[in-house]
Amino acid sequence: MSAGLPEIDSALLQRRIDELSLITEAESPAVTRVLFSDADLRGRDYVAGLGRSAGLALRVDAVGNMFARWVGSAPDAPVVATGSHIDAIPNAGKFDGVVGVLGGISAIEALQEAGFKPMRSIELIVFTAEEPTRFGIGCLGSRMLAGAIPLEKASVLRDPEGKSLDELRGRAGLKEALDSVALPKNFYSAFVELHIEQGPLLEQQHIPIGIVQAIAGPSAYRVRITGEGGHAGAVLMPGRRDASLAASELALAVEKAAHESGSTDTVATTGKWEVFPNAINSVPCGVMLEIDLRDTCLETRDRALVLMRSASEGIAARRGVEIIWEEINADPPADGDPKTMTIAEDVSLQLGLATRRMVSRAYHDSLFMARVCPTTMIFIPCRKGYSHRPEEYSDPAHITAGARVLAGTLARLSHQPL
Ligand code: HGY
Ligand code: MN
Ligand code: MN
């Protein structure tokens, strides 16, 4: 490959990001693209079209992970992979995940343009359901690739309307058995994901490239609270067993536990809240909460959980309600691979780009890819750290720089000794 690093077609990459952002179920500039929704299926078609025009060999697995491969001169050697996701939670932005998918395609096209010839094949992955919106669990596609979710748990997943994974993937024409998804050993030699930081650090410190050395471990819990309903006018206050007041106390206890875990890396959010019967003149008899608890350290995350659970028992006893906890997922944190991080740093240096190592507090498919091969992430700044909201924004110059670092890193990894 020429001494210099290939140029990314910045205008084309930006245009594609804008085009993909218009494939949404939300009012622009918001983006909503939930797994296997029409928008998600149209978004997949859009990206598959780009992969085909780049001459990549396409395949889709049983859960909808999409693979676009640039076959190298050593086609049977473990493959170098990159990629991210295009699904988006309701009312999100247009860069989360998309930068890694479209930036990955641009990086491959730039290498092709520069006459680079891969030795190890280079494969772009578009992961199914990085977001938990449809089935309540994040990273479903990369989890299954890594064999990190029991098949019996994956196959019974249902969305809030009761639709099953099989029914929905069937809509996308995916009929193969789910046990075909898990990757064989040494399938990939390395994985590098380009992603917006979803935090304010890089922008604040005017650093264009972040190299992710650790990804916080996510856990999620569904909590069902059952009290006693009744007429809002007729049921007097003494003796009420109002489920939504118990839920309110529990949500505050969740916040308190995160503060008291002993680490500033503990974060907890009661992000989903459904009240039943949800009528102004009816005392709530049931509430379903979903709680998101994360930490870069398992020990302090578990400490926060113990605090939450004991607070929950106290609330149940005091208010005479039943509180049942169900774990949705509890995943360990992941570490970046030192060698892969150093390659990304060297390439950044070659491009005159300052870097810093950092922790990702958001989870990503890299959290699971790190279980199957040496993995790191390349972060780029996003305005005020905004993400999961329409104001999400990343400057084209930063996106282009990130894609250039990705291109150089993939080229180096593809020529790693077999
Ligand atoms: O929630 C997360 O960390 C990711 O953006 N799905
Ligand atoms: Mn996200
Ligand atoms: Mn993401």
Side-chain angles (χ1 to χ4, degrees):
M1 183 174 82
S2 67
L5 284 157
E7 295 288 344
I8 299 289
D9 184 334
S10 186
L12 180 60
L13 175 49
Q14 200 52 48
R15 195 168 66 241
R16 288 170 173 171
I17 290 173
D18 295 342
E19 283 169 356
L20 183 52
S21 74
L22 298 176
I23 304 177
T24 167
E25 252 121 38
E27 194 70 17
S28 187
V31 177
T32 299
R33 232 181 352 250
V34 178
L35 173 68
F36 294 144
S37 62
D38 287 342
D40 181 46
L41 298 180
R42 282 183 290 121
R44 288 160 176 268
D45 287 347
Y46 176 80
V47 173
L50 298 179
R52 268 191 289 277
S53 2
L56 306 180
L58 293 186
R59 76 178 176 93
V60 181
D61 73 12
V63 78
N65 292 309
M66 203 154 68
F67 305 84
R69 180 173 296 196
W70 183 11
V71 180
S73 55
D76 302 330
V79 173
V80 175
T82 185
S84 194
H85 63 98
I86 62 165
D87 64 317
I89 69 168
N91 200 44
K94 66 183 186 180
F95 299 93
D96 175 8
V98 166
V99 159
V101 171
L102 299 182
I105 293 177
S106 292
I108 289 172
E109 288 170 339
L111 290 169
Q112 291 172 337
E113 281 294 299
F116 175 75
K117 296 277 174 263
M119 182 170 72
R120 293 171 182 278
S121 300
I122 295 175
E123 184 150 83
L124 177 89
I125 310 173
V126 183
F127 295 96
T128 263
E130 191 273 350
E131 299 293 3
T133 317
R134 175 68 81 175
F135 291 117
I137 186 165
C139 297
L140 178 61
S142 47
R143 235 177 243 279
M144 291 188 72
L145 283 173
I149 178 170
L151 278 179
E152 51 282 8
K153 182 171 174 183
S155 45
V156 297
L157 288 172
R158 285 189 179 278
D159 75 358
E161 279 102 64
K163 290 198 200 83
S164 70
L165 171 59
D166 276 353
E167 194 184 327
L168 286 162
R169 71 189 184 97
R171 264 190 78 201
L174 305 171
K175 308 259 189 252
E176 254 190 290
L178 289 175
D179 60 6
S180 61
V181 172
L183 293 170
K185 266 194 129 4
N186 302 322
F187 188 80
Y188 289 121
S189 59
F191 177 72
V192 188
E193 180 171 6
L194 174 63
H195 204 285
I196 56 171
E197 180 197 340
Q198 296 176 305
L201 269 186
L202 291 176
E203 183 187 53
Q204 284 166 355
Q205 296 179 359
H206 307 290
I207 297 175
I209 299 290
I211 305 293
V212 175
Q213 64 192 19
I215 302 174
S219 65
Y221 307 90
R222 189 168 293 118
V223 180
R224 296 186 198 286
I225 301 173
T226 310
E228 189 171 22
H231 193 294
V235 178
L236 298 180
M237 293 312 282
R240 274 194 181 192
R241 294 192 294 125
D242 181 328
S244 78
L245 294 177
S248 313
E249 271 200 58
L250 184 55
L252 290 171
V254 164
E255 178 197 33
K256 190 163 177 285
H259 282 302
E260 293 173 359
S261 76
S263 157
T264 49
D265 281 332
T266 314
V267 288
T269 315
T270 306
K272 204 166 164 183
W273 191 309
E274 282 169 11
V275 180
F276 185 79
N278 204 24
I280 181 170
N281 57 349
S282 170
V283 177
C285 60
V287 173
M288 189 284 288
L289 300 179
E290 285 189 0
I291 296 165
D292 178 312
L293 165 64
R294 312 181 191 200
D295 202 318
T296 51
C297 158
L298 273 185
E299 205 191 309
T300 40
R301 189 181 81 187
D302 290 347
R303 197 174 312 143
L305 183 61
V306 167
L307 292 173
M308 290 177 195
R309 298 298 300 262
S310 60
S312 174
E313 278 161 25
I315 295 164
R318 241 186 351 272
R319 291 184 167 273
V321 297
E322 183 193 48
I323 302 183
I324 297 175
W325 283 65
E326 173 204 348
E327 177 187 292
I328 301 170
N329 64 282
D331 307 300
D335 290 326
D337 167 64
K339 259 175 51 201
T340 321
M341 289 195 279
T342 308
I343 290 173
E345 283 164 338
D346 286 355
V347 172
S348 304
L349 203 62
Q350 217 182 321
L351 288 168
L353 296 166
T355 67
R356 62 154 289 167
R357 295 218 171 166
M358 57 202 296
V359 165
S360 173
R361 300 185 186 289
Y363 60 73
H364 304 278
D365 292 303
S366 292
L367 181 72
F368 294 95
M369 290 306 283
R371 299 193 191 186
V372 295
C373 67
T375 291
T376 191
M377 296 185 76
I378 297 166
F379 268 1
I380 57 172
C382 58
R383 185 184 291 156
K384 295 192 183 143
Y386 287 164
S387 186
H388 283 192
R389 50 192 284 192
E391 301 87 350
E392 185 181 271
Y393 177 79
S394 189
D395 185 292
H398 285 142
I399 297 171
T400 304
R404 276 194 94 187
V405 171
L406 178 64
T409 306
L410 294 176
R412 292 266 297 269
L413 289 168
S414 162
H415 279 199
Q416 291 252 300
L418 296 179

